[in-house]
Amino acid sequence: TKMAPVEADVCDFTVYPVFCLAQMFSNHIARSLEGHVGAPNQISVGFDGGDTTIPVLPFGALVTCVITGIMLRSLLGRPRFMPKSLAGPVARASIFVAAIASLAAVVKSGSTAMKEADVNQGPNFLPVNKLVTTGPYAVSRNPMYSCAFILVPAAGVLADSLYMVAATSMLPVYLHLFVIPAEEALNRKLFGKEFDAYAAKVPRWLF
């Protein structure tokens, strides 16, 4: 069944990075649940099997991972791994907040690069008009997704649960196998040799 398009909220990450990150989170959840048929220059969300379609948006996948981690903890117990000096809720929450702040900083930097290329582009899976190769995109083709490697241990630290670490570890796997290939297929369709030259020079992750 063809799903109706869902408009992406436009938020200025360069001015309100934390607020926009929260808005992006809620937007991803809504579009993942309802489905989203994108424009010809935009990623679609659903299960039609197209090469520029993904099952759920990244934050939708993150929520699924977190729920899985909570269920495993409820069913199998809570194998802790934090040292006693950092096991308190304040210490764990502080580490988690620092990780979120790092993510917000990268998203803000990436959003700035997108807006400099085209004011209508943004990190919230908006239509793609120009290939962005500056800012953090000069170091990694997926700088925001690279932050998944920060979120995974951060979520585990906050929960102090090895099951949460295992569950959230599925997020970068999902990004690598589904989201990034769909985005690369879209970029190759839109930019052709320009994207191929960029991909040959800049790594998919950080290496």
Side-chain angles (χ1 to χ4, degrees):
T1 302
K2 188 174 181 179
M3 300 176 183
V6 178
E7 290 295 329
D9 292 334
V10 180
C11 187
D12 191 349
F13 283 80
T14 63
V15 180
Y16 307 107
V18 177
F19 171 77
C20 291
L21 193 64
Q23 187 186 61
M24 185 168 71
F25 180 87
S26 62
N27 185 279
H28 278 210
I29 300 303
R31 292 162 71 190
S32 295
L33 292 174
E34 298 176 27
H36 174 213
V37 179
N41 59 338
Q42 185 179 19
I43 291 291
S44 294
V45 183
F47 294 90
D48 66 4
D51 61 353
T52 60
T53 301
I54 58 176
V56 296
L57 291 170
F59 275 126
L62 175 62
V63 169
T64 302
C65 292
V66 170
I67 291 174
T68 301
I70 292 172
M71 291 177 63
L72 288 172
R73 173 181 161 178
S74 299
L75 292 172
L76 303 176
R78 184 184 181 185
R80 297 174 180 266
F81 68 94
M82 293 293 290
K84 288 185 178 181
S85 59
L86 296 174
V90 174
R92 290 187 283 116
S94 298
I95 295 171
F96 181 77
V97 168
I100 295 299
S102 299
L103 173 61
V106 173
V107 171
K108 179 179 179 179
S109 178
S111 179
T112 299
M114 290 181 183
K115 295 296 182 186
E116 288 175 349
D118 187 308
V119 70
N120 295 313
Q121 292 188 171
N124 202 9
F125 285 84
L126 300 176
V128 178
N129 300 312
K130 291 187 178 179
L131 182 65
V132 182
T133 61
T134 59
Y137 292 95
V139 179
S140 168
R141 302 203 304 270
N142 300 281
M144 298 181 196
Y145 297 156
S146 296
C147 290
F149 292 99
I150 298 175
L151 283 176
V152 168
V157 165
L158 183 64
D160 194 9
S161 168
L162 288 174
Y163 290 130
M164 185 62 73
V165 174
T168 53
S169 294
M170 293 298 101
L171 177 62
V173 174
Y174 173 73
L175 295 174
H176 186 75
L177 295 180
F178 293 95
V179 179
I180 293 176
E183 291 188 346
E184 291 181 345
L186 179 64
N187 283 326
R188 282 196 170 89
K189 182 174 74 173
L190 296 174
F191 306 111
K193 292 182 179 179
E194 182 185 1
F195 176 75
D196 287 335
Y198 169 62
K201 183 174 63 173
V202 178
R204 172 180 275 190
W205 295 99
L206 291 172
F207 45 83

